[in-house]
C-alpha cells in the first residue's frame, strides 16, 4: 500500500485537528470484543497470587473489579472514545506456572453503534496493572506485556479473530 492508497485517519479533520467521529448514522448492533494482557512474575509469586496469599490480599478479586471499572470508564481515559452502554464486562485469569505468567482476558459486550475493542483493551490493561500493584511488594521485577485484541464480533466490519496463539 502506498501513501496515496492510505485511507484518511477517521479522527483527524482536513486541517489536522482531532475530532470525535460522527457515528449517528450507524446501525445499532450487538458487539463484543476480547483482549488480553499478560503479567510475568516469579513462580513463587504466581503461587501466592493463585492462593490469595499476597500481603495485599486476593489479587484476582481486586484486579477483576478494577478491570470491570476500567471498561466502564474508557471514554474518560481514551480521548475521542465514544461512551457506550456496556451490557457485559468479564475478566478471567489464566495462570501458567510453567511460563511464570498470568494471562488476563477481558471480554466486553454492548448493543451500540461502535465497537468495544478499546473497552476490552482498557479492562485487560487495568486488570494487569492492579495485579502488578498487588504483587509489587514481593516482586519488583514483574512485567506486563502482550496487550492485544484477541477477537471482535459484530458491526459493519464483521467478525475478526487473531490468528495463531493468543
Amino acid at each position: 500500500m502506498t501513501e496515496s492508497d492510505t485511507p484518511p485517519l477517521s479522527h483527524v479533520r482536513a486541517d489536522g485537528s482531532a475530532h470525535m467521529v460522527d457515528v449517528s448514522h450507524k446501525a445499532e448492533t450487538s458487539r463484543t470484543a476480547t483482549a488480553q494482557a499478560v503479567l510475568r512474575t516469579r513462580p513463587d509469586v504466581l503461587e501466592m497470587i493463585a492462593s490469595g496469599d499476597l500481603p495485599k490480599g486476593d489479587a484476582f478479586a481486586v484486579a477483576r473489579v478494577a478491570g470491570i471499572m476500567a471498561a466502564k470508564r474508557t471514554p474518560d481515559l481514551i480521548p475521542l472514545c465514544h461512551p457506550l452502554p456496556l451490557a457485559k464486562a468479564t475478566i478471567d485469569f489464566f495462570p501458567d506456572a510453567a511460563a511464570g505468567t498470568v494471562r488476563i482476558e477481558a471480554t466486553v459486550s454492548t448493543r451500540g453503534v461502535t465497537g468495544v475493542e478499546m473497552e476490552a483493551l482498557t479492562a485487560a490493561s487495568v486488570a494487569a496493572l492492579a495485579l502488578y500493584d498487588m504483587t509489587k511488594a514481593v516482586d519488583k521485577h514483574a512485567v506486563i506485556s502482550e496487550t492485544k485484541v484477541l477477537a471482535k464480533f459484530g458491526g459493519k466490519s464483521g467478525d475478526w479473530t487473531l490468528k495463531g496463539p493468543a
Side-chain angles (χ1 to χ4, degrees), residues 34 63-64 110 163 165:
T34 300
R64 180 171 284 115
T110 190
K163 302 289 186 234

Side-chain angles (χ1 to χ4, degrees), residues 72-89:
K72 296 178 350 181
R73 299 296 302 265
T74 299
D76 295 332
L77 301 169
I78 307 298
L80 311 178
C81 195
H82 293 85
L84 298 172
L86 301 185
K88 174 184 172 184

Side-chain angles (χ1 to χ4, degrees), residues 35 37 61-79 81-86 88-91 93 104-109 116-131 147:
V62 171
R64 180 171 284 115
V65 172
I68 292 167
M69 290 174 62
K72 296 178 350 181
R73 299 296 302 265
T74 299
D76 295 332
L77 301 169
I78 307 298
C81 195
H82 293 85
L84 298 172
L86 301 185
K88 174 184 172 184
T90 61
I91 309 293
F93 303 100
I104 301 113
E105 193 171 286
T107 299
V108 180
S109 298
V116 287
E117 295 91 339
M118 293 309 301
E119 287 74 8
L121 283 165
T122 301
S125 298
V126 171
L129 289 169
L131 272 184
T147 303

Side-chain angles (χ1 to χ4, degrees), residues 122-161:
T122 301
S125 298
V126 171
L129 289 169
L131 272 184
Y132 180 92
D133 181 55
M134 297 291 288
T135 61
K136 70 183 183 204
V138 293
D139 182 6
K140 294 184 183 350
H141 300 285
V143 174
I144 298 169
S145 64
E146 300 178 56
T147 303
K148 57 189 168 189
V149 175
L150 300 176
K152 71 159 240 40
F153 303 98
K156 182 181 174 185
S157 63
D159 299 348
W160 177 88
T161 302

Side-chain angles (χ1 to χ4, degrees), residues 21-73:
V21 173
D22 181 0
V23 294
S24 61
H25 64 283
K26 294 175 75 176
E28 198 173 272
T29 62
S30 295
R31 297 157 183 269
T32 299
T34 300
Q36 75 164 29
V38 175
L39 178 79
R40 186 172 310 282
T41 188
R42 298 189 322 255
D44 63 309
V45 176
L46 194 59
E47 176 56 38
M48 293 168 76
I49 293 169
S51 65
D53 290 335
L54 286 168
K56 286 188 168 187
D58 186 346
F60 285 152
V62 171
R64 180 171 284 115
V65 172
I68 292 167
M69 290 174 62
K72 296 178 350 181
R73 299 296 302 265

